Amino acid sequence: LAAAAAAAARSPGGRAGPVPRAWRPAPPRARLPRLLVLLAAATAGPGGGGAARLYRAGEDAVWVLDSGSVRGATANSSAAWLLQFYSSWCGHCIGYAPTWRALAADVRDWAPAIHVAALDCAEEKNQEVCRAYDVHFYPTFRYFKAFTKEFTTGENFKGPNRELQTVRHTMIDFLQNHTEGSRPPACPPLDPVPPSDILSLIDNRGGRYVAILFESNSSYLGREVILDLIPYENIMVTRALDGEKALLQKLGVSSVPSCYLIHPNGSHGLINVVKPLRLFFSSYLKSLPDVRKKSLFLPEKPNKEENSETVVWREFDKSKLYTADLESGLHYLLRVELAAHKSLAGAELKTLKDFVTVVARLFPGRPPVRKLLEMLQEWLASLPLDKIPYNAVLDLVNNKMRISGIFLPNHIKWVGCQGSRPEWRGYPCSLWKLFHTLTVQASTHPKALAGTGFEDDPQAVLQAVRRYVRTFFGCRECGEHFEEMATESLDSVKTLDQAVLWLWKKHNVVNGRLAGHLSEDPKFPKVPWPTPDLCPACHEEIKGLDSWDEGHVLTFLKRHYSRSNLVDTYSVDQGDPGAGGAPARGEEEEEEGLTPPEKAHRDHDPKSLPLPSVRGSRLHLSKSLHHRLDIKLQNPHASGVHKEAEAAVPFLGVGFSSLDMSLCVVLYVASSLFLMVMYFFFRVRSKRWKVKHYHPAV
């Protein structure tokens, strides 16, 4: 599947991204900050960082919903809904968008009975609602029946494929599955009329046209034409099966499908169309005299001002690796992609632990981000539970405990991964950059994974990446494509350098497969990478054929994805608005408060990072926090030290989940009640003893 791998395919320089926006039935909404790039369509205006849209308002017949409108639209609606939950960074979603737009346009006249809609789960404001609807992979198609009062996640699409005609037929089946009392009022009867009713229709004049479509039992043409004529008045369309041969012979119907038309004046007969196709029948009936279109409620076209989407271009050097791309990718990965899972347990939890361990040990970024990853790694490693809520992970990533010196920017800012349009490049590009960086760091710093259980495994990073993509990556087809490549050849990787080259080779394979795909950015075409201008020595000609010099390629990759090539330009500072989570007071003094040896230590490459043991306990994590606090208290030159110490007090229980804290409260109350009971027991017993042994004085 070329489209399936769209999200996975970006040149090592990266390429991917979301897309347009579309019609919207709900009133305009306030713009909300948005998150990841290609990972980010809804009715509201673009969020911070420039949300991408696969469906554009005013151009498509797709109803674009968001977190504020989806429940109101689908609950107790007089029409049914077919809703696509998609992600604008997902290459398969990008490739499928033309089909979805064409479907919405094709069934535009069916809107009073069933709406075709879309909701972008890549937008940060839509994360929670996508979790509520139990959406894990993209695209996901759900049907919602009319007049549904209770909340429901909808019915899954059950078609054999996602071709336009297949989806259109399943829409009809869905409408017919409504009970008589819950069927959309605008939807005409779709069941065939019995032969006895056909003669009565011919005999009774109703002052309007009556069209009877004769067809076989397996045909959908009659029902499609019936729905096509919903918004038209002065005509009624029904269907009949070709089982009653005598009736067909009497009416002159020699083949099916055929249309028998009864005029308002009582005349009747077969109509002649050039081809017995849906379009020809529908067009003929719509063109009859006095058949007029009623006013139809279509998605509103947002005003021009709301649709304006300004893309700020950031100049960058393609030979450099940008911190902003890696941090934006981590932000989306931890705050959005994982959010699709309400809880993490079993294999999912282990996959997250292993992936975070690898990232925490090898990520070459800025100290505050590395510290956050270290803390997340240690916390996950110390968990005695087999299942945790995602919100517990989110609270730590957002620094809800207000620990000084840790943060992760909470919005998107693409630099080397920006596309010429918002829907291109972005998150998939940043993931590729992150994966390449991890393999290179593992190769250049082989001791970085010491003590994790991965130190002697040259495939450790690739296997962690493989399991993450298979378990959490939102594009299911992309994950399957990556898994196929891993199954095919990952076992051949025997050294850390081979791991670097394996990922590079597979990335170029995907680029070649997706060249010319709708997800390709024309300004950043998917070509073999590195290009000759970046690495002339990587290319050589053998017998007139361009070939790779893998020795020079390996050298180039190790330099390109090294810490020394990482540029902090455009990166969000900790004190900037939206820098991340809940910043602690006194954060700006954190680095100044470190003793010179400590600060120098933290500025080294990943292999020299003083990371806590992944086998450490919660007590160890708390001691680590005490140690960091003590460093600041011992520095007489750090300003605001005492205030920061006070702010750090609530963190002595860091590492405990809400369940742990609840158990503590329960045990505290239980022990208090026990002590009170024991107190009154001995009090009463003491009084009885005194009465029993009391001897009045004579």
Side-chain angles (χ1 to χ4, degrees):
L1 290 171
R10 308 296 182 269
S11 76
R15 18 193 131 290
V19 184
R21 157 195 321 181
W23 292 94
R24 171 180 79 148
R29 300 196 155 279
R31 298 184 181 180
L32 296 176
R34 156 199 168 275
L35 137 18
L36 222 302
V37 131
L38 296 190
L39 301 123
T43 44
R53 300 291 186 270
L54 288 180
Y55 306 99
R56 295 189 181 277
E59 298 179 16
D60 307 317
V62 178
W63 297 65
V64 180
L65 305 179
D66 62 12
S67 58
S69 60
V70 61
R71 294 194 183 184
T74 58
N76 201 29
S77 170
S78 60
W81 289 80
L82 171 56
L83 174 57
Q84 177 194 172
F85 293 91
Y86 74 98
S87 181
S88 47
W89 54 257
C90 168
H92 186 72
C93 300
I94 295 173
Y96 190 71
T99 301
W100 199 250
R101 287 193 290 265
L103 172 69
D106 183 57
V107 299
R108 184 192 300 264
D109 289 334
W110 302 11
I114 186 168
H115 300 314
V116 176
L119 187 147
D120 186 4
C121 293
E123 280 215 49
E124 195 164 9
K125 65 179 180 180
N126 295 333
Q127 298 168 25
E128 191 62 36
V129 74
C130 290
R131 290 173 61 191
Y133 281 90
D134 201 27
V135 176
H136 299 292
F137 299 100
Y138 314 109
T140 293
F141 302 91
R142 300 277 175 79
Y143 288 105
F144 296 86
K145 287 187 175 181
F147 303 112
T148 301
K149 294 181 173 58
E150 301 295 330
F151 172 77
T152 174
T153 57
E155 298 180 19
N156 285 316
F157 171 80
K158 296 183 176 65
N161 57 59
R162 295 171 180 172
E163 297 297 328
L164 190 151
Q165 180 173 278
T166 302
V167 178
R168 193 171 65 220
H169 290 174
T170 57
M171 291 173 67
I172 294 173
D173 292 337
F174 180 71
L175 285 173
Q176 288 191 277
N177 286 336
H178 281 71
T179 60
E180 188 63 32
S182 66
R183 192 178 67 190
C187 182
L190 298 176
D191 294 328
V193 296
S196 57
D197 290 350
I198 296 176
L199 296 177
S200 63
L201 286 174
I202 296 175
D203 294 336
N204 296 329
R205 300 181 184 180
R208 59 178 178 175
Y209 293 95
V210 176
I212 306 171
L213 280 150
F214 290 92
E215 60 183 348
S216 64
N217 187 47
S218 60
S219 173
Y220 280 85
L221 184 142
R223 286 167 284 184
E224 291 173 335
V225 174
I226 291 172
L227 293 170
D228 286 342
L229 272 293
I230 285 179
Y232 290 82
E233 55 189 4
N234 296 329
I235 186 171
M236 183 189 84
V237 184
T238 188
R239 57 186 283 258
L241 301 182
D242 59 351
E244 189 67 36
K245 301 301 181 182
L247 176 63
L248 295 179
Q249 187 175 5
K250 180 179 180 180
L251 298 178
V253 178
S254 58
S255 63
V256 291
S258 294
C259 182
Y260 198 87
L261 182 65
I262 306 168
H263 293 261
N265 61 7
S267 62
H268 50 82
L270 287 172
I271 65 172
N272 295 316
V273 292
V274 178
K275 296 180 181 180
L277 301 175
R278 169 198 171 197
L279 175 64
F280 287 81
F281 285 121
S282 295
S283 297
Y284 182 93
L285 297 177
K286 291 176 182 178
S287 65
L288 291 171
D290 297 326
V291 173
R292 298 182 299 270
K293 194 169 187 177
K294 299 175 286 190
S295 59
L296 183 62
F297 178 54
L298 288 173
E300 297 176 11
K301 180 178 178 180
N303 59 56
K304 206 171 186 180
E305 180 180 348
E306 183 188 350
N307 269 334
S308 60
E309 199 166 315
T310 305
V311 178
V312 178
W313 184 259
R314 302 178 181 92
E315 295 298 329
F316 68 95
D317 183 350
K318 63 180 179 180
S319 67
K320 297 294 183 181
L321 184 65
Y322 286 85
T323 302
D325 291 324
L326 298 181
E327 291 180 352
S328 295
L330 282 175
H331 152 71
Y332 191 84
L333 185 154
L334 293 171
R335 293 195 178 102
V336 181
E337 198 155 59
L338 286 180
H341 301 256
K342 296 180 181 179
S343 62
L344 302 165
E348 283 187 352
L349 183 57
K350 186 180 187 311
T351 296
L352 178 62
K353 287 181 178 180
D354 292 346
F355 185 76
V356 170
T357 295
V358 168
V359 175
R361 291 299 183 99
L362 299 175
F363 187 72
R366 298 184 292 172
V369 179
R370 296 207 309 265
K371 291 178 187 177
L372 185 143
L373 292 171
E374 293 168 18
M375 178 173 295
L376 178 60
Q377 174 209 5
E378 188 173 353
W379 177 72
L380 288 171
S382 67
L383 283 174
L385 305 175
D386 294 328
K387 182 178 181 179
I388 61 170
Y390 163 73
N391 284 336
V393 177
L394 182 62
D395 286 346
L396 198 151
V397 173
N398 285 341
N399 194 14
K400 288 294 182 67
M401 296 168 293
R402 299 174 58 81
I403 301 173
S404 297
I406 71 170
F407 84 101
L408 177 66
N410 62 3
H411 63 271
I412 299 309
K413 183 180 284 187
W414 303 122
V415 184
C417 281
Q418 61 188 321
S420 57
R421 280 172 49 179
E423 65 268 24
W424 288 326
R425 310 184 74 207
Y427 180 56
C429 163
S430 70
L431 270 189
W432 277 112
K433 286 182 181 291
L434 176 62
F435 296 162
H436 284 295
T437 300
L438 295 177
T439 58
V440 167
Q441 292 299 313
S443 178
T444 56
H445 304 88
K447 295 182 180 179
L449 293 175
T452 64
F454 301 141
E455 54 269 27
D456 298 323
D457 184 4
Q459 298 179 15
V461 174
L462 293 178
Q463 292 290 1
V465 167
R466 173 188 184 179
R467 290 192 294 270
Y468 176 85
V469 171
R470 182 175 61 203
T471 306
F472 296 110
F473 193 55
C475 178
R476 184 190 295 271
E477 288 82 359
C478 307
E480 292 174 352
H481 176 75
F482 194 89
E483 180 63 23
E484 288 174 6
M485 294 193 299
T487 302
E488 177 185 323
S489 60
L490 189 54
D491 288 342
S492 64
V493 174
K494 304 299 182 184
T495 67
L496 294 172
D497 284 350
Q498 287 179 3
V500 175
L501 290 174
W502 184 91
L503 189 64
W504 162 74
K505 289 177 182 177
K506 296 308 175 184
H507 196 168
N508 271 335
V509 168
V510 175
N511 283 337
R513 186 172 300 178
L514 291 177
H517 188 266
L518 290 173
S519 61
E520 181 182 39
D521 187 340
K523 189 171 182 178
F524 300 92
K526 298 185 190 304
V527 296
W529 191 92
T531 52
D533 60 318
L534 281 178
C535 182
C538 295
H539 297 261
E540 58 183 1
E541 190 174 289
I542 300 178
K543 296 181 179 180
L545 184 67
D546 184 47
S547 303
W548 294 104
D549 185 325
E550 293 190 0
H552 283 103
V553 170
L554 180 61
T555 302
F556 170 82
L557 293 173
K558 288 186 175 182
R559 179 186 60 79
H560 186 79
Y561 292 105
S562 67
R563 177 67 183 91
S564 60
N565 198 45
L566 192 58
V567 179
D568 291 343
T569 307
Y570 301 112
S571 297
V572 177
D573 292 329
Q574 198 165 354
D576 291 350
R585 288 171 286 183
E587 283 175 339
E588 295 177 359
E589 294 88 354
E590 170 72 6
E591 290 302 314
E592 297 176 7
L594 292 173
T595 58
E598 174 75 0
K599 185 172 182 178
H601 195 54
R602 292 192 178 277
D603 286 338
H604 284 173
D605 283 337
K607 70 175 183 179
S608 60
L609 290 177
L611 299 173
S613 169
V614 296
R615 308 301 176 194
S617 63
R618 289 187 178 137
L619 177 60
H620 179 67
L621 180 57
S622 297
K623 286 182 178 179
S624 174
L625 294 176
H626 280 300
H627 175 66
R628 296 179 187 180
L629 181 59
D630 290 340
I631 291 175
K632 286 190 65 75
L633 293 175
Q634 291 169 7
N635 185 350
H637 303 292
S639 59
V641 168
H642 295 290
K643 290 183 178 180
E644 187 172 354
E646 293 174 1
V649 171
F651 316 137
L652 300 181
V654 66
F656 290 93
S657 68
S658 56
L659 176 61
D660 298 328
M661 301 307 295
S662 300
L663 289 174
C664 289
V665 173
V666 171
L667 290 174
Y668 175 81
V669 173
S671 60
S672 299
L673 292 174
F674 176 76
L675 289 175
M676 292 176 63
V677 169
M678 294 303 295
Y679 169 77
F680 286 112
F681 172 77
F682 284 109
R683 178 92 176 177
V684 171
R685 186 171 180 178
S686 174
K687 287 183 177 180
R688 289 180 178 177
W689 186 86
K690 288 181 179 180
V691 171
K692 184 176 181 181
H693 295 84
Y694 175 71
H695 300 287
V698 179

